[in-house]
Amino acid sequence: MSEATHADVAIIGAGFGGLGAAIRLDRAGFDSFLIFEKANDVGGTWRDNSYPGCACDVPSHLYSYAFARNPRWSETFSGQAEIWAYLRDCVDRFRIGPRLRLDHAVHQARWDETSLQWRLSTSQGAYTARVLISATGPLSEPAIPSIPGLASFEGTMFHSARWQRDHDLTGRRVAVIGTGASAIQFVPAIQPLVGSLTLFQRTPAWVMPRRIRRITAAEHAIYQWVPGAQRAARTGLYWAREAMAVGFLHPPVNRFAQRYAERMLQRQVPDEALRAKLTPDYVMGCKRVLLSNDYWPSLAKENVEVVTEPIRELTQHGVMTADGREHEVDTIIFGTGFNVTDSPAMHRIVGRQGRALADAWAPTMRSYLGTSVTGFPNLFLLLGPNTGLGHSSVVLMIEAQLEQVIAAMRSMRRRGITAIEPTAEAQRRYNERIDAKMAGTVWMTGCQSWYLDATGRNATLWPGYVTSYRWRLRRFRTADYAVVERRIAPPHRQRDRAAPQLVNQSVKVTP
Ligand code: NAP
């Protein structure tokens, strides 16, 4: 058997999280790391989601690394191709290329209790690492609902995150299932092309305008040459977005925004019956607020039908709804989101005592700071439980987490410690606080959303301001972590006295 290749740190995933981790580790002087990426390119969600109209609904100055500014964003909200190009550019700028292991799918990462390191089995061989950073992203595993008859449909079917670009939609009869953040971007983009578009809507979404404009040449010059100008723009956007959190954390405040959206719907959709279908019956913000100027207007076009009758099954030729009507189509596009609280990736990480994350997180995901988990030594998660945002840029959350990871690694190095994990008590206290804060938010006002898991708990979003998360993670609290050690078996339990054996690991709380 060939020997495993060792790196001090193994990073899984080469999207915003993984590349950010690589850059920060390198700058902090940790130079032994590798990035494992299952695909043959970097970019994560911005590589996978290439559907027409794909763009970010967070302003570009904020949806980019603070340590890798880009003065040349072409628009206030950039499109997928530009964000993907930015990430690839970061690889070159920060010379990350040699650390990338593309086409390396990590089948399993298992904590070895004897050698106190992670053992990774990948599609291209075995690796070991002392520290594991999982940056696979919460929105990376497309979810296709198990609708009866799925296999019987004879046309073309695909998920929005696996867009079939060689399938020309011109003149086709297209069904779209789902009305989330992805669908509201590609529906207006494909509507002018297709012959007919049947949109299957289970729950209508609240939509607000997206204030998009081109960034002028003069602005580019200012961002490029005036010191601090782009940082000032970012800071302005940061606080404007923080202000938006008020409505999520104190739901009555959102009523003003909801009225605005109602008026926009009235303007954009003159047909009363269609408007009634598109009007949500839940408080704005409970599900993700979608930003679009052309989604509602596109639904008012002649070649579009919005179907609210539940889907019963797929047939050879289309979609059958509960009222017995068959909607004949030749293409079905699933805008049905991602497996977030039940991702297969959770089965691939196995911690102490052979326990997978999926087991530790049944029935609900709990972590410490969204970044580490009791029972999983030297594992750091980027965008782990309760780190999602409804109002601002998750890149800010990743940056805060990376400071915590670097601080943890520095602390281990300084104290000569091989492995740490959060104490069960610290994790319990942290989650109690999360749940208490979550209780009063708009996300818990009674709607169904992917933010909630099967138990009804919100294990995905951060129930606060980005500022409070950054404040909480600004320093590493040694007392909240336990040192994982090997314990030598007492002599009477040793089978071979000449060669002391390592037995079960103990977890000792650091004084
Ligand atoms: P999503 O928000 O989870 O939406 C999935 C849609 O599919 C919902 O409308 C859902 O209906 C519907 N659906 C699911 N199963 C169904 C079924 N069996 N029958 C009928 N309808 C079904 O997924 P997404 O649009 O891909 O977005 C996911 C997340 O990605 C977003 O919330 C956002 O965080 C991120 N995203 C961000 C951007 C951006 O610009 N930053 C853009 C795209 C996506 P229900 O609402 O009734 O469940």
Side-chain angles (χ1 to χ4, degrees), residues 390-463:
H391 72 286
S392 191
S393 169
V394 287
V395 180
L396 298 165
M397 304 297 270
I398 291 172
E399 287 174 354
Q401 293 188 290
L402 290 176
E403 294 317 306
Q404 180 77 185
V405 174
I406 301 279
M409 290 178 61
R410 282 189 174 137
S411 168
M412 281 197 277
R413 189 165 63 184
R414 206 171 42 246
R415 292 150 65 211
I417 291 167
T418 310
I420 54 164
E421 64 175 57
T423 65
E425 174 56 18
Q427 183 167 298
R428 190 190 58 73
R429 267 187 281 118
Y430 177 73
N431 282 277
E432 264 178 21
R433 276 199 297 272
I434 289 270
D435 291 344
K437 287 195 79 178
M438 192 69 78
T441 66
V442 72
W443 305 299
M444 306 310 285
T445 50
C447 70
Q448 261 306 319
S449 74
W450 66 260
Y451 298 150
L452 309 182
D453 60 25
T455 69
R457 182 169 175 268
N458 189 327
T460 52
L461 293 185
W462 169 248

Side-chain angles (χ1 to χ4, degrees), residues 70-112:
N70 171 20
R72 307 208 61 79
W73 289 116
S74 64
E75 292 183 306
T76 44
F77 294 88
S78 297
Q80 170 261 345
E82 197 171 356
I83 301 172
W84 189 18
Y86 165 78
L87 287 173
R88 290 158 106 173
D89 180 57
C90 283
V91 171
D92 296 337
R93 268 163 84 178
F94 296 96
R95 300 191 179 86
I96 299 300
R99 316 306 184 94
L100 284 170
R101 294 295 175 268
L102 300 177
D103 286 316
H104 279 61
V106 176
H107 298 318
Q108 192 182 63
R110 177 177 279 271
W111 177 251
D112 181 337

Side-chain angles (χ1 to χ4, degrees), residues 45-46 49 51 54-58 63 77-78 139 143-147 159-161 176-186 200-205 210 282 287-288 290-291 310-311 334-338 340 389 394 448-451:
T45 193
W46 299 104
N49 285 275
Y51 56 77
C54 183
C56 189
D57 59 11
V58 177
Y63 196 82
F77 294 88
S78 297
L139 303 170
I144 293 194
S146 48
I147 300 171
H159 188 277
S160 58
V176 172
I177 302 179
T179 54
S182 304
I184 67 114
Q185 292 186 335
F186 70 75
F200 292 88
Q201 172 190 276
R202 196 164 62 179
T203 317
R210 193 163 71 120
Y282 55 86
K287 290 164 88 79
R288 190 179 168 96
L290 309 179
L291 302 188
I311 296 171
F334 290 94
T336 43
F338 300 86
V340 180
L389 296 175
V394 287
Q448 261 306 319
S449 74
W450 66 260
Y451 298 150

Side-chain angles (χ1 to χ4, degrees), residues 141-462:
E141 307 270 358
I144 293 194
S146 48
I147 300 171
L150 206 56
S152 53
F153 180 62
E154 288 178 349
T156 303
M157 266 190 313
F158 53 89
H159 188 277
S160 58
R162 300 286 180 270
W163 198 268
Q164 284 187 18
R165 258 163 295 167
D166 52 0
H167 180 70
D168 185 5
L169 290 173
T170 312
R172 292 204 187 258
R173 292 168 304 158
V174 177
V176 172
I177 302 179
T179 54
S182 304
I184 67 114
Q185 292 186 335
F186 70 75
V187 162
I190 65 171
Q191 173 273 321
L193 282 184
V194 301
S196 67
L197 195 155
T198 312
L199 179 65
F200 292 88
Q201 172 190 276
R202 196 164 62 179
T203 317
W206 283 113
V207 181
M208 289 288 274
R210 193 163 71 120
R211 309 215 178 274
I212 186 167
R213 64 168 180 84
R214 289 203 74 74
I215 297 178
T216 63
E219 286 171 287
H220 284 152
I222 291 170
Y223 294 143
Q224 179 81 49
W225 302 113
V226 179
Q230 196 173 10
R231 186 170 309 151
R234 183 179 165 104
T235 305
L237 288 167
Y238 175 89
W239 288 109
R241 287 278 168 160
E242 285 292 75
M244 284 167 61
V246 175
F248 294 107
L249 304 176
H250 309 283
V253 178
N254 256 1
R255 249 184 274 138
F256 302 104
Q258 188 168 315
R259 292 229 181 87
Y260 186 93
E262 281 163 358
R263 282 200 297 274
M264 183 167 105
L265 177 61
Q266 195 131 24
R267 265 197 323 275
Q268 294 187 341
V269 179
D271 182 275
E272 211 170 307
L274 177 58
R275 219 167 45 229
K277 283 184 186 176
L278 298 175
T279 306
D281 63 358
Y282 55 86
V283 184
M284 184 181 202
C286 186
K287 290 164 88 79
R288 190 179 168 96
V289 179
L290 309 179
L291 302 188
S292 175
N293 306 328
D294 49 8
Y295 172 64
W296 277 336
S298 74
L299 302 185
K301 298 284 190 240
E302 271 190 355
N303 63 342
V304 179
E305 183 185 1
V306 177
V307 176
T308 52
E309 195 68 29
I311 296 171
R312 185 202 290 170
E313 61 180 319
L314 297 195
T315 62
Q316 269 174 300
H317 304 295
V319 183
M320 175 85 80
T321 40
D323 55 2
R325 184 173 160 209
E326 186 178 23
H327 304 262
E328 288 198 5
V329 293
D330 49 50
T331 306
I332 299 177
I333 306 174
F334 290 94
T336 43
F338 300 86
N339 292 312
V340 180
T341 53
D342 51 357
S343 164
M346 296 174 191
H347 294 270
R348 294 184 206 127
I349 297 183
V350 182
R352 283 194 293 112
Q353 294 160 6
R355 199 154 185 245
L357 262 186
D359 302 325
W361 282 352
T364 185
M365 304 190 291
R366 289 184 209 274
S367 70
Y368 175 68
L369 306 178
T371 309
S372 49
V373 187
T374 305
F376 295 80
N378 288 4
L379 169 67
F380 297 107
L381 308 168
L382 297 180
L383 298 184
N386 295 110
T387 56
L389 296 175
H391 72 286
S392 191
S393 169
V394 287
V395 180
L396 298 165
M397 304 297 270
I398 291 172
E399 287 174 354
Q401 293 188 290
L402 290 176
E403 294 317 306
Q404 180 77 185
V405 174
I406 301 279
M409 290 178 61
R410 282 189 174 137
S411 168
M412 281 197 277
R413 189 165 63 184
R414 206 171 42 246
R415 292 150 65 211
I417 291 167
T418 310
I420 54 164
E421 64 175 57
T423 65
E425 174 56 18
Q427 183 167 298
R428 190 190 58 73
R429 267 187 281 118
Y430 177 73
N431 282 277
E432 264 178 21
R433 276 199 297 272
I434 289 270
D435 291 344
K437 287 195 79 178
M438 192 69 78
T441 66
V442 72
W443 305 299
M444 306 310 285
T445 50
C447 70
Q448 261 306 319
S449 74
W450 66 260
Y451 298 150
L452 309 182
D453 60 25
T455 69
R457 182 169 175 268
N458 189 327
T460 52
L461 293 185
W462 169 248

